[in-house]
Amino acid sequence: MTSEDSARARWDALRHDLLALLWPGSCVACGAPDRVCCAPCLAEIRGQAGAAPRPLVRRLPRPERPALELRAAGRYDGALRAGLVAYKHAGRVGLAKPLGARLGPVLGAAIATAPEPPLVVAVPSRPARVRER
Ligand SMILES: [Zn+2]
């Protein structure tokens, strides 16, 4: 981390503290106070917690066509799931940047390697919608 990154991190922390005085809230994933998403959960969403994130890839064979390759930015659980649900259903648009940063490389790889234009499908968050898809 450079000194500029460190200064930015301190500025972001101060900005979040000031916002928390006006709009108290809690982490969308673990409930920690005063942050839309606390640092450990944000690291998990970004794929910085523990091992580097690996996109999930499944290949489904199809008759007389190239196999259908399914890719996901990560397992739909933990802070990643909580962040996606909060973004989709609770208007937590502040999570767009880390969620997009997680999805971008996976989508870029899919576009670069797909024999056909890729089809992007949002993960449904409710069991009834999962069964429907
Ligand atoms: Zn948290």
Side-chain angles (χ1 to χ4, degrees):
M1 178 179 277
T2 66
S3 64
E4 184 176 316
D5 290 339
S6 177
R8 178 173 293 196
R10 285 194 310 265
W11 170 248
D12 284 346
L14 176 62
R15 186 170 50 91
H16 287 293
D17 286 343
L18 292 172
L19 288 173
L21 290 173
L22 298 172
W23 295 285
S26 59
C27 174
V28 298
C30 72
D34 299 336
R35 294 288 187 272
V36 169
C37 192
C38 71
C41 293
L42 192 57
E44 187 178 333
I45 288 173
R46 288 179 171 150
Q48 297 169 334
R54 290 185 328 157
L56 305 174
V57 180
R58 301 282 187 274
R59 296 180 64 81
L60 300 177
R62 298 184 296 180
E64 301 179 26
R65 298 184 71 187
L68 182 64
E69 192 170 280
L70 307 174
R71 292 174 181 250
R75 290 191 52 82
Y76 188 57
D77 61 12
L80 184 57
R81 180 185 186 282
L84 284 166
V85 170
Y87 176 78
K88 287 172 62 177
H89 301 295
R92 300 292 183 101
V93 295
L95 296 170
K97 192 172 182 177
L99 289 170
R102 178 81 181 257
L103 179 61
V106 176
L107 189 55
I111 291 170
T113 60
E116 303 171 16
L119 176 65
V120 178
V121 180
V123 174
S125 54
R126 297 191 171 101
R129 295 285 292 162
V130 170
R131 285 190 297 274
E132 183 181 305
R133 290 202 179 167

